[in-house]
Amino acid sequence: MTIPSTARRSARCLLVGAAAAATLITGIGGLGAPDAAAAPKMGTPCGPNKVITTIGTCAPINSSCTGYDMMLIGRVDRTGRCVIPGMNGTTW
């Protein structure tokens, strides 16, 4: 039994299209995704008396930190976390 030429052509187009889509998706992910190996970890020093915070920014130790609504909720400690003032070496 032979496969009609239109079916072979359709299968070939489908295979080529799938390969092109996979290449495009991989390329977009490779270009747009941050390089996790290059990103410094939370708590890593990033300047004099500064650390990388939980949101990936460089902030002075004991500086104020805010919630999603920009309301002050604590202080940045030496590990980069936002804690209640007075904890982990932070001050009021």
Side-chain angles (χ1 to χ4, degrees):
M1 182 176 161
T2 61
I3 299 173
S5 64
T6 54
R8 283 189 300 231
R9 191 174 316 129
S10 295
R12 193 175 326 129
C13 288
L14 180 62
L15 182 62
V16 169
T23 302
L24 179 64
I25 290 169
T26 303
I28 290 172
L31 293 176
D35 187 7
K41 294 186 178 186
M42 182 183 75
T44 304
C46 58
N49 206 30
K50 292 182 176 183
V51 293
I52 300 294
T53 64
T54 54
I55 59 171
T57 60
C58 183
I61 295 170
N62 204 39
S63 63
S64 298
C65 45
T66 60
Y68 69 94
D69 57 358
M70 302 307 287
M71 186 175 207
L72 292 176
I73 58 172
R75 299 282 186 166
V76 176
D77 71 356
R78 294 193 184 286
T79 65
R81 289 186 169 80
C82 189
V83 298
I84 297 170
M87 293 182 62
N88 297 342
T90 61
T91 61
W92 293 90

